[in-house]
Amino acid sequence: MAQFQAVKGAKDIFPDEIVRWHYIEGVIRSVTSLYGFSEIRTPAFEYTELFQRGIGSTTDIVGKEMFSFLPDPNGRSITLRPEMTAGVMRAFLQKNPGGGVPVHKLFYIADLFRKERPQAGRQRQFTQFGAELIGVANPAAVVEAVSLMMQVFDTLGLHGLRLRINSLGDLEDRMRYREELRSYLEPYRNDLDEASRERFEKNPMRILDSKNPAVQEIVAGAPKLLDCIKPEGRQEFEKVLGYLSDRQIAFEVDHLLVRGLDYYGHTAFEVVSPELGAQDAIGGGGRYDALSKELGSSAEIPAVGFAVGMERLIITMEKQGLFATLSPHGPQVFIVLQDAGLEDHAMRIADRLRRSGIMTETDLAGRSMKAQMREANRLLAGFALFVGQDEVASGSYTLRNLRTSEQVALELDAIPGVLHESSKP
Ligand code: AMP
């Protein structure tokens, strides 16, 4: 075993897997642009208070999952970002203290860090793709976010995903509901597991999404949050559901859906994948109007967004066989050298071909011609270009198509044109 291993919960991604990432990222970039979203990149760390204020101090993330450190003995604590929304809102408020243009549509693909117990589909460093629509409270904006997420899934060919949706009402609704829920759960307190007993005091709504079957049985009879929501909130939710039906996006209203972050209010949603085990959520999001004020804005800025876990997306796509047609592509041409004395000549040819836009490989290891041919095949090169004393003397080079074994003799100037022509679909 190598002396050093990657840190527990962190993974290396090698070129054979990176083709999948590039493919998915390409789909994300093209679908987000159809909806008018632009990319934002924010720092990998932020001041710890940002997450304490933004995500909420009773949440699992802030309570026990943050990687925080002091940059210097007298410095302010810094945390590796465990999610993106707080950082994006911080960046937005920093850049637009007066509010700026009314609608901002931003997307990101970013690495995140959470000190969770690693298991299948759960890492300590993982990647999310997400989008934030800042500035409008319209139910149409919520549906725009959900549609964007679902269109990415559709374009990737995913099937069998389930969209669960609920309304969390406003803060007042939730305060009222918390008390109702506590009264309902009080008689069962001793039957709850330890995690739920802890949540009973701090954040009882999180008991609703417990994965423990005994707890699930208890909460099945709990009062419904939707019944505590004021008529305006209910109307808004109905409008969201109506728009989703209009667009033929299937959903299930799930009264137990609460989401683990404090900044959500009104519509919240989650997508689960049948292909994932215990960690079955592939993405989720919702409205988070309260976040801006929590981060110091004088007025509440309505916003809605979602985040999708890239690793869980990849696991699901793998299980659904969606990478089958994705073949790695090799160099267009591999320059095969007859003898090492021609190395400088081969380098000049490679340079010329690369400058004309041809993906070119040369032998850097001083291998025999036979070994170079093996390497060209291993790399899935399209062509081999032979460079020997005769070719250099005559100026005519043999180009062999490695799929069909056809050969042609060409002058150097003609080679780029032939290779460009052959790589057309
Ligand atoms: P959250 O920000 O917790 O709502 O998570 C949104 C999505 O990110 C989840 O549905 C997962 O797909 C993914 N995710 C969250 N935490 C992890 C993790 N520790 N490892 C891998 N993926 C994660």
Side-chain angles (χ1 to χ4, degrees):
M1 198 171 15
Q3 187 178 0
F4 289 106
Q5 307 283 309
V7 172
K8 198 172 116 190
K11 280 197 178 145
D12 304 306
I13 302 171
F14 277 95
D16 54 342
E17 205 190 329
I18 212 83
V19 291
R20 299 174 166 192
W21 286 76
H22 288 168
Y23 166 63
I24 296 172
E25 286 164 11
V27 167
I28 290 169
R29 285 175 200 286
S30 76
V31 178
T32 48
S33 78
L34 294 176
Y35 282 74
F37 283 67
S38 311
E39 184 172 0
I40 183 168
R41 297 186 189 183
T42 64
F45 43 47
E46 298 275 357
Y47 289 118
T48 303
E49 300 102 272
L50 175 77
F51 301 118
Q52 289 166 334
R53 291 287 292 276
I55 303 173
S57 51
T58 62
T59 57
D60 286 351
I61 294 181
V62 173
K64 51 188 184 205
E65 295 171 2
M66 297 205 297
F67 286 105
S68 302
F69 57 97
L70 285 175
D72 55 69
N74 304 314
R76 280 163 77 184
S77 170
I78 279 176
T79 293
L80 294 179
R81 59 187 177 197
E83 59 100 56
M84 277 296 280
T85 304
V88 170
M89 184 54 93
R90 193 265 315 135
F92 172 81
L93 294 172
Q94 188 173 338
K95 180 141 192 271
N96 304 284
V101 294
V103 187
H104 288 256
K105 294 172 163 187
L106 301 166
F107 84 91
Y108 58 81
I109 300 171
D111 291 337
L112 305 174
F113 307 86
R114 293 185 194 171
K115 210 186 291 170
E116 296 191 87
R117 198 168 43 79
Q119 62 181 85
R122 193 159 76 185
Q123 298 175 198
R124 289 186 157 187
Q125 179 179 338
F126 62 100
T127 310
Q128 280 183 350
F129 138 62
E132 316 288 0
L133 208 164
I134 301 173
V136 271
N138 192 345
V142 176
V143 176
E144 182 124 320
V146 176
S147 315
L148 164 60
M149 179 177 67
M150 298 309 279
Q151 191 164 336
V152 169
F153 293 148
D154 283 349
T155 310
L156 291 170
L158 287 153
H159 51 86
L161 301 182
R162 287 168 43 219
L163 172 66
R164 305 159 61 206
I165 191 162
N166 195 14
S167 177
L168 308 178
D170 62 19
L171 195 59
E172 232 176 66
D173 300 334
R174 285 197 296 284
M175 299 288 259
R176 213 171 42 247
Y177 178 67
R178 261 183 210 138
E179 287 325 305
E180 275 197 30
L181 185 60
R182 275 208 190 94
S183 320
Y184 166 81
L185 289 172
E186 185 64 57
Y188 300 102
R189 240 173 123 158
N190 293 332
D191 306 323
L192 294 174
D193 58 17
E194 200 186 318
S196 301
R197 274 203 296 275
E198 218 171 274
R199 285 174 171 161
F200 184 89
E201 296 300 340
K202 288 199 262 172
N203 196 351
M205 278 168 55
R206 287 300 313 280
I207 300 176
L208 296 179
D209 67 3
S210 167
K211 295 237 158 50
N212 179 336
V215 177
Q216 283 174 340
E217 210 169 294
I218 296 172
V219 300
K224 292 183 176 142
L225 174 55
L226 212 49
D227 294 333
C228 281
I229 292 175
K230 290 191 260 323
E232 312 87 84
R234 287 187 67 109
Q235 268 165 22
E236 183 197 291
F237 188 52
E238 291 301 330
K239 210 156 178 190
V240 170
L241 301 186
Y243 284 153
L244 287 176
S245 302
D246 254 14
R247 297 212 186 169
Q248 303 188 323
I249 297 177
F251 59 84
E252 302 157 28
V253 174
D254 186 335
H255 299 288
L256 300 178
L257 179 78
V258 291
R259 309 276 302 135
L261 297 89
D262 270 7
Y263 51 61
Y264 286 116
H266 298 290
T267 307
F269 50 88
E270 196 160 272
V271 173
V272 293
S273 157
E275 255 68 52
L276 297 169
Q279 304 300 320
D280 67 348
I282 193 165
R287 279 267 302 271
Y288 56 91
D289 301 3
L291 180 62
S292 52
K293 259 188 137 168
E294 208 51 65
L295 301 186
S297 163
S298 52
E300 202 166 79
I301 301 172
V304 58
F306 67 84
V308 172
M310 292 285 280
E311 290 80 4
R312 293 190 198 172
L313 191 58
I314 288 173
I315 295 172
T316 306
M317 288 182 63
E318 166 114 65
K319 295 213 168 138
Q320 296 191 352
L322 299 174
F323 292 124
T325 55
L326 205 65
S327 54
H329 51 80
Q332 283 163 283
V333 61
F334 191 106
I335 298 179
V336 178
L337 268 186
Q338 199 177 43
D339 70 76
L342 292 169
E343 191 170 69
D344 59 339
H345 198 83
M347 284 167 78
R348 277 197 298 276
I349 296 177
D351 186 56
R352 198 158 150 183
L353 293 176
R354 287 167 179 156
R355 282 176 198 279
S356 10
I358 305 288
M359 287 190 281
T360 309
E361 277 281 348
T362 58
D363 176 45
L364 297 173
R367 280 171 280 213
S368 69
M369 275 184 79
K370 208 167 152 195
Q372 290 179 63
M373 283 305 291
R374 264 203 307 274
E375 181 64 358
N377 285 318
R378 189 185 72 81
L379 292 175
L380 306 174
F383 288 82
L385 179 69
F386 294 95
V387 176
Q389 299 293 358
D390 290 353
E391 282 84 357
V392 174
S394 68
S396 171
Y397 295 81
T398 305
L399 185 70
R400 181 190 296 173
N401 183 323
L402 293 175
R403 305 278 168 277
T404 62
S405 298
E406 275 171 81
Q407 298 199 156
V408 276
L410 294 168
E411 293 194 356
L412 271 185
D413 283 345
I415 293 172
V418 171
L419 290 175
H420 279 307
E421 196 54 42
S422 77
S423 62
K424 282 188 187 151

